Amino acid sequence: MGPHPAVAAIRLAVRRVLHDVLTDYSRHFDHDRHPEQAQRSPRAEHIRFARAGAARTALPERPATPLVLVACSGGADSMALASALAFESRKLAVRAGGITVDHNLQAGSGLRAAEVVARLTAMDLDPVESVAVDVGRDGGPEAAARDARYAALDAAAERHGAAAVLLGHTRDDQAETVLLGLARGSGIRSLSGMAAASGPADRYRRPFLQLDRQTARKACLVQSLPVWDDPHNIDPAYTRSRLRHEGLPALEKALGKGVVEALARTAQLSRDDADALDTWAAEAEASVRDDDGRLECAKLYVLPPAVRRRVLRRAVIDAGAPAGSLFARHIEEVDRLITGWRGQRALNLPGRVEARRQGGRLVIRQS
């Protein structure tokens, strides 16, 4: 008899991501060793690498097998992910380890982190470590905790030379992210939710974006995996918690079942559209600059609004504005210097960046 359907589902999702990691790793590995052969097919690369890994043939430039870490809070999603990684890594040329981040936001958080380390170690993951962080206040408690967490995970990945870090975000998390983006009115990129792969060199991988939260919880139950339910997840002081326990149930009551799936599907469609528009904007940018690299207002004006605003956003960020502090309303104000010019004064933007129209050119620089 095979594994429980929930366990089979999470293992299959992780297996697919590990194959992707192997393919990427082997391609880069072979490029380092044999640049002249870098055009091999991904399938041939994977087979060659898997055989080398199985034989444990060490190469001097980097380990013969990539290290994949799981970011584990001890909750059901990440514990299910850790168990699937431990199982699948034994069948592939992959080393598996785990990281838990102690945010120091609750009494006993250090004990919770130690328990997670013990559970991951019992799964034969190696290396396993707990990293304590100090959470700031910028952007609110949720954003500050997220920034601290990703900084810790980035540092851990660099420290251990990890090829990838697996995150336990589910389809439910994706639906919540889409609704939060919709509420902010931040445009199509915000509606695209979380990418299956993101970060430097696609470091972060999210195998469970097509699986619901209940599947992960069921997989933990049938495997007798202890899980920790973060009290912040039910605290109405947090926006995502209110959305999870009040907003989404209200939507499903009003619109019927299937809202989560529809929102996750919207995220993928929006991401495809946003990627296409970003590519268009990148190609158009050179055509709207003069010989000195300054943006020409007349040429910007004839671009489609979605493309023009992307060019403007990139120009403002390049001038020094923090991307996380730059909102749609800021770009709309800059856009009006192109489309609604009435002699406006210079605009003050985040990061002490100033935008002004001068002599038919758009000048964006730090003040």
Side-chain angles (χ1 to χ4, degrees):
M1 181 182 294
H4 186 278
V7 175
I10 65 169
R11 288 177 178 175
L12 176 60
V14 168
R15 188 183 317 142
R16 287 170 172 166
V17 167
L18 292 182
H19 278 291
D20 290 341
V21 171
L22 278 168
T23 298
D24 293 344
Y25 188 85
S26 60
R27 186 182 298 118
H28 295 150
F29 179 78
D30 206 58
H31 183 273
D32 291 344
R33 291 295 304 271
H34 306 288
E36 74 284 353
Q37 298 178 19
Q39 299 304 314
R40 292 178 182 172
S41 72
R43 176 62 179 164
E45 291 279 273
H46 186 175
I47 294 173
R48 183 198 64 76
F49 177 78
R51 289 172 177 168
R56 295 296 189 269
T57 304
L59 295 174
E61 288 85 348
R62 66 175 73 185
T65 54
L67 171 64
V68 176
L69 299 174
V70 57
C72 186
S73 67
D77 302 340
S78 59
M79 284 299 293
L81 182 59
S83 71
L85 173 62
F87 181 85
E88 293 296 332
S89 65
R90 300 185 190 108
K91 304 189 293 182
L92 296 169
V94 173
R95 293 178 295 134
I99 301 292
T100 189
V101 177
D102 177 6
H103 296 84
N104 284 309
L105 294 176
Q106 302 167 8
S109 64
L111 176 61
R112 188 277 311 168
E115 290 173 347
V116 173
V117 166
R119 292 168 189 169
L120 297 181
T121 301
M123 294 179 185
D124 293 328
L125 299 184
D126 182 40
V128 172
E129 69 172 337
S130 169
V131 180
V133 298
D134 293 320
V135 177
R137 297 184 178 182
D138 291 346
E142 292 167 285
R146 182 177 60 249
D147 289 345
R149 180 167 59 254
Y150 276 101
L153 293 175
D154 278 333
E158 295 291 342
R159 185 166 59 252
H160 293 290
V165 178
L166 304 189
L167 304 176
H169 297 122
T170 65
R171 187 170 62 193
D172 301 79
D173 296 309
Q174 185 75 297
E176 294 162 7
T177 301
V178 172
L179 284 176
L180 289 170
L182 182 62
R184 286 193 298 265
S186 301
I188 194 171
R189 177 57 71 186
S190 193
L191 294 182
S192 64
M194 296 174 285
S198 64
D202 285 342
R203 167 179 293 158
Y204 294 108
R205 311 285 178 126
R206 299 176 175 87
F208 290 175
L209 285 183
Q210 302 302 318
L211 300 176
D212 61 27
R213 190 174 290 138
Q214 191 57 38
T215 297
R217 185 167 288 276
K218 185 66 175 178
C220 290
L221 179 64
V222 299
Q223 295 178 100
S224 298
L225 294 175
V227 300
W228 173 70
D229 290 317
D230 187 346
H232 283 171
N233 289 337
I234 57 173
D235 187 342
Y238 294 93
T239 304
R240 187 177 285 268
S241 175
R242 294 195 302 273
L243 180 60
R244 179 174 302 176
H245 298 288
E246 300 173 22
L248 271 172
L251 281 175
E252 292 207 328
K253 182 178 180 180
L255 302 176
K257 295 293 184 181
V259 170
V260 168
E261 293 86 342
L263 288 169
R265 190 162 55 249
T266 295
Q268 185 56 60
L269 294 172
S270 298
R271 181 167 297 279
D272 292 343
D273 290 349
D275 288 346
L277 287 168
D278 285 348
T279 300
W280 187 354
E283 293 171 349
E285 184 172 359
S287 69
V288 298
R289 292 186 181 273
D290 62 17
D291 293 340
D292 295 323
R294 296 175 299 179
L295 291 166
E296 298 188 67
C297 295
K299 293 180 178 178
L300 283 166
Y301 183 85
V302 299
L303 290 177
V307 176
R308 181 176 61 246
R309 288 171 183 165
R310 279 169 167 76
V311 173
L312 296 177
R313 177 179 172 82
R314 175 46 54 193
V316 173
I317 292 173
D318 287 346
S325 301
L326 198 60
F327 303 126
R329 59 182 175 83
H330 294 127
I331 302 306
E332 288 169 2
E333 291 174 2
V334 178
D335 195 42
R336 277 195 286 271
L337 295 177
I338 308 298
T339 62
W341 174 242
R342 299 183 306 278
Q344 297 98 309
R345 299 174 62 181
L347 299 172
N348 294 316
L349 302 166
R352 295 185 299 106
V353 171
E354 179 184 271
R356 68 168 67 239
R357 180 165 174 158
Q358 191 173 47
R361 304 292 191 273
L362 189 64
V363 180
I364 303 175
R365 62 190 175 195
Q366 278 191 318
S367 58

